[in-house]
Amino acid sequence: MARMMFGDVEESVVTRDEVSLDTARAILAEETIAVIGYGVQGPAQAMNLRDNGFRVIIGQREGGASWEKAIADGWQPGETLFSIEEAAKQGSIILNLLSDAGQIATWPSISAGLTAGKALAFSHGFGIVFSDDTGILPPSDVDVFLVAPKGSGMSVRRLFQQGKGINSSFAVHQDATGRARDRVTALGIGVGSGYLFETNFRNEVVSDLVGERGVLMGALAGIIEAQYRVLRANGHSPSEAFNETVEELTQSLVPLVGENGMDWMFSCCSTTAQRGALDWRHKFRDAVAPVFEELYDNVASGREAKHVIAKNSDANYRIALDKELAEVAEAEVWRAGKQVRSLRPTR
């Protein structure tokens, strides 16, 4: 493992220098990776593994949109595309990429295929960490580990196709075979990770749930809505409010942060913008810190998991979810965004 400094903290990470793609292929040469679920992460990880030369099959409920998408992506029913039960039987590494609710519902079918020496893999530790609520309790004679790409399935696939990679965490929860660490790092390289950093299942879940509800999605959506509304309430047009709130953020500034850091983004802006950002960041940080502390406590205590499981298990969940998503889509800020995006130059 490589040693890297992150500020004053030294971490061990796995890069493609330590575990090359050829090494990963050799480690998993006798394995069949059964990717269970073809929704958000499934397509990206499965196709990346296939393109990298690993033996991959898909387990998916037949007849739905995801089954048809798998066929469209080149998976062949009866050859590389099976029911969840059959894929779990055939796979030596069962990579469970169903939603958390889906993992709970299908656990009896998947667990039936977990014979001694196999591996149960995840990209999220939710089912294992909150096993009292999920009922997901693997047998003691299988490896249990995770590789968690730090991005959406779409990003995982796009970066792979661009010859890049997305960073992933990895963790070993149970090493029954003595090979769990080799298997998980090989899997991480196989799905196209840029580098792998080690964690444990609980830390992965807590950081992931906090991140999704915080900066990555929830907080971002809330801050955007708040600024847009203030601008509109003070007489600014939808186009001006959206461009100053979202378009410049996503098309100009965030790419600069990703390229070389927040200080780099600041340095690429006017001195007036720099001064204001450096002054006002403290107010925003101090204002939201109590919200993040409340969020962290809610996640770490397990209350958030219970809430998610209860909501996602409701028979009318999909109807309610579609209604909430439609409300977001119909908000003026995002209707303005649709218009702005349509006016972007095509070249």
Side-chain angles (χ1 to χ4, degrees):
M1 296 181 72
R3 307 293 293 181
M4 297 182 66
M5 293 299 299
F6 295 87
D8 295 329
V9 179
E10 186 179 56
E11 285 188 34
S12 297
V13 300
V14 178
T15 71
R16 296 174 188 177
D17 291 331
E18 284 74 52
V19 181
S20 69
L21 185 54
D22 285 341
T23 300
R25 289 194 194 105
I27 291 170
L28 302 182
E30 304 302 318
E31 307 268 19
T32 296
I33 304 167
V35 175
I36 309 298
Y38 209 74
V40 178
Q41 283 284 338
Q45 294 196 36
M47 287 191 287
N48 288 5
L49 285 163
R50 181 178 64 183
D51 291 352
N52 271 336
F54 296 85
R55 186 184 300 120
V56 185
I57 62 174
I58 304 297
Q60 176 62 43
R61 180 175 57 83
E62 186 173 356
S66 294
W67 178 272
E68 296 303 321
K69 175 172 171 52
I71 293 174
D73 287 341
W75 306 97
Q76 298 294 320
E79 296 180 12
T80 54
L81 177 59
F82 302 93
S83 67
I84 290 173
E85 294 83 355
E86 182 59 28
K89 289 178 184 177
Q90 291 193 28
S92 59
I93 296 177
I94 301 172
L95 179 53
N96 194 339
L97 298 181
L98 290 166
S99 67
D100 295 323
Q103 290 184 19
I104 295 170
T106 60
W107 176 241
S109 299
I110 292 172
S111 61
L114 281 173
T115 53
K118 288 192 176 187
L120 177 62
F122 300 92
S123 282
H124 189 32
F126 189 98
I128 296 294
V129 172
F130 301 113
S131 59
D132 288 347
D133 299 301
T134 66
I136 297 176
L137 295 164
S140 60
D141 55 4
V142 302
D143 291 343
V144 181
F145 49 70
L146 67 79
V147 173
K150 298 297 109 180
S152 68
M154 186 176 295
S155 298
V156 172
R157 183 61 177 167
R158 281 181 178 174
L159 288 170
F160 177 85
Q161 290 174 318
Q162 293 169 7
K164 302 176 183 178
I166 197 162
N167 301 329
S168 302
S169 63
F170 78 97
V172 175
H173 178 72
Q174 185 168 285
D175 185 5
T177 67
R179 298 179 54 241
R181 192 177 186 84
D182 286 342
R183 288 167 115 180
V184 70
T185 53
L187 183 66
I189 296 300
V191 300
S193 302
Y195 79 88
L196 298 158
F197 61 94
E198 191 166 9
T199 185
N200 58 58
F201 269 56
R202 179 171 178 78
N203 281 358
E204 189 282 328
V205 169
V206 172
S207 61
D208 189 72
L209 293 181
V210 170
E212 290 168 347
R213 285 146 181 77
V215 170
L216 302 179
M217 294 176 67
L220 179 63
I223 290 171
I224 285 172
E225 290 171 14
Q227 178 169 304
Y228 181 88
R229 288 178 181 179
V230 168
L231 288 172
R232 290 287 289 121
N234 284 279
H236 299 269
S237 70
S239 183
E240 184 169 58
F242 184 85
N243 274 279
E244 293 292 351
T245 301
V246 180
E247 193 75 350
E248 189 167 354
L249 171 73
T250 59
Q251 301 305 301
S252 174
L253 301 183
V254 166
L256 290 175
V257 176
E259 179 182 324
N260 210 23
M262 186 68 74
D263 57 327
W264 168 248
M265 184 270 279
F266 282 173
S267 73
C268 293
C269 298
S270 70
T271 55
T272 300
Q274 290 172 13
R275 184 68 270 143
L278 290 169
D279 291 342
W280 279 85
R281 71 185 178 100
H282 302 288
K283 285 183 176 289
F284 282 106
R285 181 196 62 212
D286 295 345
V288 302
V291 180
F292 275 98
E293 290 169 0
E294 179 185 355
L295 168 58
Y296 192 93
D297 179 66
N298 210 51
V299 170
S301 68
R303 291 192 299 272
E304 188 70 17
K306 292 182 184 296
H307 173 72
V308 168
I309 291 170
K311 283 285 189 179
N312 291 1
S313 300
D314 189 282
N316 296 316
Y317 171 70
R318 179 57 59 178
I319 295 172
L321 174 64
D322 289 344
K323 183 178 179 181
E324 288 182 275
L325 293 176
E327 289 173 356
V328 173
E330 289 302 313
E332 186 188 272
V333 56
W334 300 115
R335 286 190 283 112
K338 186 175 182 180
Q339 291 293 327
V340 170
R341 288 191 297 274
S342 72
L343 296 173
R344 287 179 188 163
T346 56
R347 63 181 178 85

